[in-house]
Amino acid sequence: MTDPDGSSSESRLPGSPSEPGALGSLSERSETKRPALQASVIIPSYRGEQRLPELLERLTRQDFEGAWEVVVALDGEDDGSRAVLETYRDRLPLTVIASTQSRGVAETLNGAYEVAQGEVLIRCDDDLSPEPHMVRRHVELHASSDVPLGVIGATRDVFADTPYARAYGIPANRRHLATAYKRDETETWVHWAAHNSVTRETWDRFGRFDTSFAYGEDGELGFRLREAGVRIVIAPELEIVHRGPAPSAGARITRAFVSGASRHELERSHPGTVRPAAAPGSLAGNLWNGAVGALAASVRSQGGYRRYGRAIDGLPSAVPAGLRGRLIALGVEAAGRSGYRNGAEDLRSESWRDAHRSPGFDGRMHREAVPAPNRGVLPEQPMRTALWIVPVADLGGVARHVLDATRVGIPGWRVVVLCPEGPLAERLREQGAAVTTGRFGPDAGPVASMRTLRRTAAALRPEIVHSHLAYADIINAWTRLPRGTRRFTTEHGIAGDDGVYHPSSLQSRVMAFVHRARFPRFDGVIAVAEATKRAMIQKWHVTQPITVILNGVDLPEGVEPRDPSTVTGTRILSLSRLAPEKRIDKLIEAFALVKKARPEATLTVAGEGALLSELEALATRLGIADAVQFPGFADPEKAMRQADIVVQLSVWENCSYTLLDAAARGLRIVASDVGGNREILGPVGLVGRLSPTSVAEAISTCGVTSQNRVHESGSAMCHRISIEYSRKRAL
């Protein structure tokens, strides 16, 4: 069964905005009953800001000439979906219902079906791409049947070009579709999931999802419909593109565990769904079943299968697709069997339900996957494409920007990231973002990078190519792109001090000339801080309009900001590269003074770099080595949970994610008064003269009257980028 990409929640009737959590409706409903509609398209959505535009755009192209409506049920918090829906108010007959807390897909769907007024009720999840005949064909099939009908449109998955997709995702979906179309009508109910329809009469007599099912409520309803005498058919002409399949082995195998647990619950509630035991097979088949059984017996938890899947995802790309596919299939079958045996009790628990509100069973949102160049293309998509090009493979400030933007989504745009293979690409795949890798970046060289960009742009036909970091900016400026492609740039890393990024004045002058030459080729220019904008104008003489969009941050789910006035401890943290421009030596010297006044104080210098041994020696000379830790790379979230004060004394910062994250969490902050720091923090906690005494004093006094503030959330940042993309400029 296809997994719905969204949980659901308590639904509130439009026209009752005074009720808690009600957002009302985009279409006004009067007290009198409206004329009967022929169809209602019902869309459950959880954090669907990025997925909804594609579906809604497709719905505007329906060729159905009768009266119909679209009912969108927003499950829980509004991530920007409401704003997306408003943009379609004049193009679709929309009704929106919502609740303030996520309650699960079953309750959300029940509320949406109750509100819908069509004679034919068409379920369509928000990560599907219907053809123009979708509404019309559902209505025709029900009108032509003399018996109650349940119509299923099977889902055809689209994937990014990854080893997982080639080895397992694509062939498994093909097998799934072939099996679905061969099903006897007594078994078609197992495919009741993301896209189907029934009449209003059938729903009123036999419908409603069983809310006791934390997962698998679709199959449970399908079985009850069949038992009630509803004829369930799979219509090949209603096959529909699914943009949100599991993007990796880790995600797919984890889903299989949950699916197995769900099957156990279904069989417990409906003994008629129990599958007969398989008859003895061939020697090879028996050996395979033995291997599946052995893995299922040795790995008994969802987390264990997640780790197994991630290990497969981490295999080198040179591993043959056949072997990779068999390993994934082994994990999927074993996880399903183990989930059936061991996962049902967890499935019934409230803690499991709370942990699985969001789409994807490993806690991540699996968004649309876009094929890489020359590996096949998606069907025509009305949603516009922005190709983001990033020349680095590792995780850092720019990688964080890309990950946040693709996680939240640029409203109205499909973002595809081109970058070298490495940790950034893997993280993007894990969160379900569209990513393609190739020979791109300094290690590949300019000729290969231009060739890769040219081929990628030719395959994807993006409306915008948006570059990040100087190397990508230069490649973007001078690569021949398809006619009509617009070029955008975001400046993340210019500094007031030339020595921060350039080892010599000659290199600085050369690069300034190169940048001045490239800017006339760009249609949109973004800076991450006003200080960055000023430096661009001063050093590169940029004459185009520059839009400032600060980096946006969102607290992870469940993390609450601390009141800075209550943070009185002395656990001091530095999260920076161990490089000269970060001036960590100044922090260690200041900490020696703090330690004298506050013996309980500790300093954690998290990060890696060439200065490690030199900084360790400095702490030893000052007699504070026992209070200073050098843990190397540290997870920022964990490190900030264990800190009270974040100190950053860099020579220059544009729009520091470290400071943004610390401010969002309510930590006390001490930072050098450079670049964009004042725009994030205001004057409190900034240090102009970096003597040990002044820094130590700032550490001791900062935060009691802190005015730390964060200007942008992730959604606000992405919304402003979307506005820039839509702006027409004459440069």
Side-chain angles (χ1 to χ4, degrees), residues 115-330:
V115 169
Q117 298 189 32
E119 295 294 335
V120 175
L121 307 177
I122 305 168
R123 157 88 174 274
C124 189
D125 281 4
D126 67 1
D127 60 353
L128 301 180
S129 298
E131 296 298 323
H133 62 261
M134 185 264 287
V135 174
R136 172 174 56 81
R137 191 61 185 138
H138 275 287
V139 172
E140 290 173 348
L141 286 169
H142 287 283
S144 64
S145 177
D146 295 329
V147 298
L149 205 63
V151 179
I152 295 173
T155 52
R156 182 173 71 257
D157 294 339
V158 293
F159 294 88
D161 180 47
T162 65
Y164 163 77
R166 295 192 295 271
Y168 185 86
I170 294 172
N173 183 241
R174 289 172 179 168
R175 292 191 298 269
H176 173 82
L177 289 171
T179 300
Y181 292 132
K182 293 178 182 178
R183 291 274 191 196
D184 184 90
E185 284 190 7
T186 61
E187 298 179 339
T188 49
W189 64 269
V190 302
H191 296 278
W192 196 267
H195 184 57
N196 49 63
S197 66
V198 293
T199 63
R200 163 57 66 184
E201 180 182 2
T202 297
W203 175 264
D204 288 342
R205 292 180 62 191
F206 310 119
R208 294 193 64 82
F209 291 92
D210 187 339
T211 58
S212 68
F213 278 75
Y215 175 68
E217 69 289 330
D218 291 312
E220 194 276 338
L221 174 59
F223 177 75
R224 282 193 288 111
L225 290 173
R226 192 208 71 173
E227 290 293 281
V230 177
R231 182 189 173 204
I232 298 179
V233 298
I234 301 176
E237 69 271 29
L238 287 172
E239 184 176 299
I240 193 167
V241 167
H242 176 220
R243 295 172 279 116
S248 64
R252 179 64 185 90
I253 293 171
T254 306
R255 289 189 180 194
F257 183 92
V258 180
S259 182
S262 171
R263 183 164 62 87
H264 182 281
E265 289 299 276
L266 181 62
E267 293 179 1
R268 185 174 66 90
S269 300
H270 300 289
T273 63
V274 176
R275 302 174 185 175
S282 64
L283 176 60
N286 290 335
L287 289 174
W288 175 260
N289 287 332
V292 171
L295 181 57
S298 59
V299 182
R300 300 169 58 86
S301 69
Q302 184 180 357
Y305 286 103
R306 182 183 296 114
R307 290 188 290 274
Y308 173 91
R310 289 178 177 173
I312 296 175
D313 290 325
L315 293 174
S317 59
V319 172
L323 174 58
R324 186 186 299 268
R326 297 297 281 177
L327 291 172
I328 296 171
L330 177 65

